[in-house]
Amino acid sequence: MNLRNLHHSLGVAVDIEFFEPAEAAALMRCTESWLRDGATSGRFPHACWGKGKIIFTSEHILEIARLSEILPGSTGSSLSGTGPVTKERLIGTRTKVRLATAR
C-alpha cells in the first residue's frame, strides 16, 4: 500500500511506505506468522489501523532488521526475550530473594 501520491497531492512530502504483513514478509524473506507474532507480542515495531489491522512502515522493517541482527562476538539473538544468560538456575521468588541478599 503506497500512500506517497496521496501525500504529494496534499502538499506533504513523505518518503515512507506502508506494508501489510504479507507484503513485509515477502520483502524481508521471512514468514508472515513470524512478523505477526513479533508484532502482537511487542517485540517488533508496527502500527495498528482500524480494528487492529497490523501495518509495517519502511522504518519499522529497517528496525526489525536491526533487532534481528547478530553481530560478531555476540552469543545469540536479541529477540530471544531473555536477558543475559546466567549459570544460576532460579526457581521461585524465595530463591531470587535469597540470592539477592546473599551477595
Side-chain angles (χ1 to χ4, degrees), residues 66-87:
R66 285 186 201 104
L67 289 170
S68 302
E69 186 176 30
I70 299 173
L71 299 174
S74 66
T75 57
S77 173
S78 63
L79 294 177
S80 63
T82 60
V85 177
T86 62
K87 293 184 181 183

Side-chain angles (χ1 to χ4, degrees), residues 39-83:
T40 56
S41 69
R43 290 186 327 238
F44 296 158
H46 65 285
C48 280
W49 290 352
K51 296 182 179 180
K53 180 176 181 169
I54 295 174
I55 296 293
F56 296 100
T57 66
S58 48
E59 291 176 358
H60 292 149
I61 292 171
L62 287 171
E63 184 61 24
I64 293 167
R66 285 186 201 104
L67 289 170
S68 302
E69 186 176 30
I70 299 173
L71 299 174
S74 66
T75 57
S77 173
S78 63
L79 294 177
S80 63
T82 60

Side-chain angles (χ1 to χ4, degrees), residues 83-92 94-103:
V85 177
T86 62
K87 293 184 181 183
E88 300 173 8
R89 184 172 177 200
L90 303 178
I91 301 174
R94 290 183 187 170
T95 304
K96 290 179 185 177
V97 171
R98 185 172 62 237
L99 287 174
T101 57
R103 294 179 188 190

